[in-house]
Amino acid sequence: MNNVSLPKKSRRIIPGFHLSLGYTMLYVSLLVLLPLSMIFIHTMSLSWTEFITIITDPRAVASYKISFGTALVAGIINAIFGTIIAWVLVRYPFPFKRMIDGLVDLPFALPTAVAGIALTSLYAPNGWIGQFFEFKIAFSPLGIIIALTFIGLPFVVRTVQPVLQNISAEVEEASASLGANRLQTFRKIILPELTPAILTGFSLAFARALGEYGSVVFIAGNMPMKTEITPLIIMTKLEQYDYAGATAIAVVMLVTSFVLLFMINFIQWLTNRRFIH
Amino acid sequence: MEYSIALSKPAALQEPRIIRYLLTFIALAFLAFFIVLPLVSIFITAFQKGAEVYFAAITHPDALAAIKLTLIVVAIAVPLNAIFGVMAAWVLTKFNFKGKNLLLTIVDLPFAVSPVIAGLVFILLFGSQGLFGDWLFAHNIKIVFALPGIVLATIFVTLPFVARELIPLMQAQGTSEEEASISLGASGFKTFWYVTLPNIKWGLFYGLILCNARAIGEFGAVSVVSGHIRGMTNTMPLHIEILYNEYQFSAAFAVASLMSVMAILTLVIKDIIAWKSKSV
């Protein structure tokens, strides 16, 4: 063996590794990990039975049903209409297209409280839209769904749009030349390409909707057992200085959100794998 | 390319006209109801009782205090997250190390956490019953129900914005330009300043704009830690809530219209940046 001394570690040419890693770790530890760990540390002060009693309290359970149910419906509405909007924006010409395309991001830019009071006044029984309906829209689960649809819309449109743009015309041409009609081409060729993006957009919108507070508290009416969302339960417990109760419910929400985040990453991993093949 | 000759009828690649019109109509109607109408209603309701009520609402001392507080919070939170975003993107895209994916997930974490919980964690740390509560009380330091708490909650919810914009951008750019610069003898800082920064300029602006919009408008997290002290710890969204709950609808919508103008400006600047970054 020749005694050529190879450097033990592959040397990093670009400087700043230790500085940037250290700074990043310190920042996320102090501002994300330490604060979030408080939730789990604080729950430890509860016994298992106390914890179960708090999180299975009928009012809390009713709020999970409302939060999950409305977030799910809003997510499905967004998946369908978001895909249609992305399709129209990518494929069809119409006037003011650029401006309308820009407006899709409004829910990202508009403060949720502003969206909340605007939607409430529109859909309240005497509002511009609410007055035309016999039944209540604002102050009912329907109102929550509308608010959650509003805040979730850009997620689906903005994840589907680039994928739709990248589908090459050739596969559609091939499909058509083999005798498929338009609907068959859409169902068998285009939709399978779009599905991962639609699912990712749906999960992002759903996750955001689950935790949403600002826009919902105005339009929901916040009636216990009927239109009270889970974040509001946490808020109410905090205002009564019931820290243990608030953290127990927060654990339920956090675990759900993490499972969702994991699923989103899994979908994206599946999608990437498909493209590499 | 033989296909294209066989396929001289583009009709096979397009939906029937009626379907196209129907889909366009559905998309535009949906956007009209969910985006345009709420936006229009804000401005109309704001001016319903006349310009006098409008200007009285936005120049009320409590409103001015809320605007000032919001601007202070943004001025602290956004630059801190911008520096963090650049640092995090640098370490996550220019180097390979163990636990990289874990760190990436941690950076994304605040997106998955409900704003109310984001506020709650700071109460658990710095509130009277919190981990540091007794110590802070003994030293007469106020964090929650005061400016530091509001800043911390805002930093938490807006933490991923700049990093999330920069990471894919810097990943795509790779490391060859930096390596060339270093091998030609430039210092690390010079390389960053003259090579990396010009490359990520537009992505950085884009992240800043999004971070800024969210920081201005954050409601849930700030609501938990603010304590709602009028003229003291109310940001603009909290001020809107108070006015709304007191049935001062015109005043609430007047302040809301100010925030909507900021949101529209955000969209316009974002569009300009998207256009600039494409043309570069």
Side-chain angles (χ1 to χ4, degrees), chain A residues 225-267:
Chain A
M225 309 298 291
K226 287 200 188 110
T227 58
E228 192 175 43
I229 53 166
T230 310
L232 186 69
I233 298 247
I234 298 176
M235 197 70 144
T236 316
K237 285 190 185 296
L238 266 178
E239 274 163 11
Q240 295 157 353
Y241 299 102
D242 177 8
Y243 289 8
T247 36
I249 306 278
V251 166
V252 176
M253 282 207 79
L254 269 183
V255 170
T256 326
S257 307
F258 291 165
V259 170
L260 273 170
L261 195 70
F262 175 76
M263 273 168 44
I264 296 168
N265 283 340
F266 185 67
I267 293 169

Side-chain angles (χ1 to χ4, degrees), chain B residues 134-155:
Chain B
D134 291 333
W135 188 88
L136 290 170
F137 187 76
H139 291 78
N140 207 9
I141 303 169
K142 264 190 97 83
I143 292 188
V144 292
F145 310 139
L147 178 70
I150 300 174
V151 172
L152 283 172
T154 307
I155 289 178

Side-chain angles (χ1 to χ4, degrees), chain A residues 12 14-15 17 20 24 27 31 35 39 87 92 98 105 114 117 120 129 150 173 182 211 214 235 247 257, chain B residues 7 13 15 20 24 34 37 81 84 90-91 95 112 114-115 121 124 156 159 182 188 219 223-224 244 270-271:
Chain A
R12 296 189 165 94
I14 298 173
F17 175 69
S20 54
T24 307
Y27 199 85
L31 287 158
I39 299 265
W87 181 276
Y92 302 152
R98 270 204 55 153
D105 280 328
V114 175
I117 63 169
T120 310
I129 300 176
F150 175 86
E173 281 169 12
R182 200 56 199 151
M235 197 70 144
T247 36
S257 307
Chain B
L7 255 173
L13 289 176
E15 293 77 47
R20 271 185 317 199
T24 312
F34 276 90
L37 203 57
N81 277 343
F84 163 75
W90 181 266
V91 77
F95 306 102
S114 170
V121 295
L124 295 179
F156 184 99
L159 186 130
I182 298 283
F219 180 80
S223 171
V224 174
Y244 191 82
K270 203 190 56 119
D271 242 32

Side-chain angles (χ1 to χ4, degrees), chain A residues 18-35:
Chain A
H18 293 287
L19 174 72
S20 54
L21 182 67
Y23 183 83
T24 307
M25 295 287 280
L26 184 73
Y27 199 85
V28 292
S29 302
L30 287 180
L31 287 158
V32 178
L33 296 179
L34 173 70

Side-chain angles (χ1 to χ4, degrees), chain A residues 69-144:
Chain A
T70 52
L72 191 69
V73 175
I76 292 168
I77 293 174
N78 274 332
I80 296 168
F81 287 95
T83 308
I84 294 176
I85 291 167
W87 181 276
V88 168
L89 284 174
V90 171
R91 304 219 158 181
Y92 302 152
F94 53 88
F96 303 111
K97 188 163 154 170
R98 270 204 55 153
M99 214 176 86
I100 291 165
D101 188 280
L103 270 180
V104 170
D105 280 328
L106 186 78
F108 281 160
L110 198 70
T112 50
V114 175
I117 63 169
L119 290 170
T120 310
S121 69
L122 278 179
Y123 290 95
N126 57 354
W128 291 2
I129 300 176
Q131 58 178 312
F132 297 111
F133 291 88
E134 295 277 309
F135 49 86
K136 270 206 288 193
I137 299 179
F139 318 125
S140 80
L142 206 57
I144 304 180

